[in-house]
Amino acid sequence: MTTTPDQQLDFLLTTALKMGATAAEVILASGSSTSVTIRNGTTERIERSDSQDVGLRVFIGQQVASASSTDVRPDALKALVERTVAMARVAPEDPYAVMATPAQLAKNAPDLDLNDPASLDAKALLALATEAEDAARAVSGISNSDGADASHSRSRVLLRGSNGLNYSAEHTDSGFSVCVLAGSGTGMERDYDYASAVYAGDLPPADAIGRNAGEQTVARLNPRRVATGHYPVIFAPRVAASLLRSFLSAINGSSIARGTSFLKDSLHKPVFGSSITIFEDPHRLRGQRSRPLDAEGLPTTAQKLIDGGILQDWLLDLSTAKRLGLQSNGHAVRGMASPPSPSASNVY
């Protein structure tokens, strides 16, 4: 018998509670994606995939277990509940395991325009990849191509909890990349460029991305040493982004709670120059990491992580906030078979 996603979620929750769970939450994700690869103008790969995954987390007091499955038939769902409840019964107690209370749950989820009604089929993706690669190969000095890729995906996520959490969202993502080589022999260099967006119509022109990839690659040829000295430094966007990723990892509540972050004693202290302010905006329209609420159902808000060089807050979910004696600030994300953990959204 075919069941709907809502029926599958309800079945998992009610069955888990009947089997002795004191609380439970379910996540169901489904999606489809199409991707293509070309190299030197020849199509090398066209793939289409469809997926459906379900994850269950159950509480028996402070004992917690999580499990997931790609089989959503009724018998398989029942087996998933039985397996997860059995795991929870033998799990050690976790004093920091917690679900949101009904009062903590977001009351309204803003519409962030994350679902592009248009889709890119294989033909359109091949055209994007071809245009990008052709533009890259046309740059003087380019000697070969490592290929160009393009993809389009659409996903739907449903969250349901015994605490009253009930949320669903759809998200699209489109993008392409190209990688080329310049020079020959031991003097060859390689570089790339890429673009991605929630809406395919927001992607930059493919030929511009390809041309940039080619120019960046050629610019790598014949490197030279500079004399030792003091120089002004401009970080390329990729390097600047890696610095931000390191910073975000250092203020992750999990690292702070374990005491493994070099910034664990730096809250409300200067960690950047006074000219630096770092914003996080989970409500950016069409933002690739935008989220109306977090994976535990708590509201998300825009904030300054760094204000005038001073660290303002950690990235917290409910568990890490409890460990630190603080309140969650809505940064929980989660996978199918893993408990929630903190993560940032759109940062700039």
Side-chain angles (χ1 to χ4, degrees):
M1 181 180 69
T2 301
T3 56
T4 67
D6 283 327
Q7 289 172 327
Q8 293 161 3
L9 293 173
D10 289 339
F11 174 82
L12 286 165
L13 280 181
T14 56
T15 305
L17 296 174
K18 287 178 181 178
M19 289 185 177
T22 53
E25 60 184 13
V26 186
I27 179 172
L28 190 150
S30 58
S32 61
S33 65
T34 304
S35 59
V36 303
T37 299
I38 67 166
R39 184 172 181 272
N40 287 321
T42 301
T43 301
E44 290 194 336
R45 178 183 62 91
I46 300 177
E47 290 184 356
R48 160 81 185 200
S49 65
D50 295 277
S51 63
Q52 188 169 28
D53 300 271
V54 61
L56 173 66
R57 185 164 72 134
V58 301
F59 292 71
I60 300 178
Q62 293 302 124
Q63 296 170 283
V64 188
S66 301
S68 66
S69 175
T70 58
D71 191 343
V72 295
R73 293 174 301 173
D75 289 348
L77 293 179
K78 183 179 179 182
L80 175 64
V81 178
E82 292 172 343
R83 183 168 68 250
T84 312
V85 171
M87 291 166 57
R89 292 190 187 281
V90 298
E93 289 197 356
D94 180 354
Y96 303 110
V98 61
M99 280 179 64
T101 65
Q104 290 176 305
L105 296 175
K107 302 301 184 290
N108 296 292
D111 180 4
L112 303 180
D113 199 13
L114 303 178
N115 183 24
D116 184 357
S119 294
L120 296 180
D121 59 15
K123 182 178 179 180
L125 294 172
L126 285 170
L128 269 179
T130 300
E131 185 179 359
E133 189 190 46
D134 286 350
R137 293 168 63 200
V139 174
S140 178
I142 294 299
S143 56
N144 206 342
S145 172
D146 205 23
D149 300 272
S151 63
H152 173 81
S153 64
R154 184 180 303 276
S155 60
R156 185 185 184 208
V157 174
L158 296 94
L159 286 170
R160 193 74 52 85
S162 58
N163 56 354
L165 173 62
N166 188 358
Y167 173 72
S168 66
E170 291 193 46
H171 188 280
T172 52
D173 186 77
S174 298
F176 60 92
S177 65
V178 58
C179 179
V180 287
L181 297 91
S184 60
T186 58
M188 294 181 72
E189 294 289 346
R190 178 197 317 262
D191 211 328
Y192 67 94
D193 201 2
Y194 69 96
S196 58
V198 170
Y199 271 61
D202 292 338
L203 289 169
D207 61 341
I209 295 297
R211 186 165 53 252
N212 190 53
E215 291 171 351
Q216 288 181 164
T217 305
V218 172
R220 286 177 170 272
L221 293 172
N222 305 313
R224 62 183 177 85
R225 291 182 179 273
V226 297
T228 300
H230 293 279
Y231 300 97
V233 175
I234 298 176
F235 290 106
R238 292 179 206 161
V239 179
S242 72
L243 294 175
L244 276 181
R245 283 192 291 270
S246 296
F247 162 68
L248 294 173
S249 176
I251 66 168
N252 188 292
S254 296
S255 298
I256 302 301
R258 292 194 303 267
T260 57
S261 169
F262 69 94
L263 293 180
K264 62 185 176 67
D265 298 316
S266 298
L267 190 62
H268 304 311
K269 296 179 182 179
V271 297
F272 282 91
S274 59
S275 62
I276 300 297
T277 296
I278 299 177
F279 298 87
E280 183 195 22
D281 184 7
H283 293 171
R284 179 183 291 177
L285 293 179
R286 302 189 184 183
Q288 288 186 283
R289 294 178 64 87
S290 294
R291 44 188 187 237
L293 45 79
D294 79 351
E296 294 177 308
L298 273 64
T300 53
T301 57
Q303 64 180 117
K304 293 180 181 178
L305 300 176
I306 295 291
D307 188 5
I310 298 174
L311 176 60
Q312 300 297 309
D313 210 347
W314 312 125
L315 306 178
L316 301 173
D317 62 358
L318 286 169
S319 178
T320 56
K322 189 174 181 180
R323 287 174 183 268
L324 296 168
L326 301 170
Q327 297 294 317
S328 172
N329 49 20
H331 282 92
V333 299
R334 61 166 298 174
M336 290 295 110
S338 59
S341 60
S343 181
S345 58
N346 305 298
V347 175
Y348 60 100

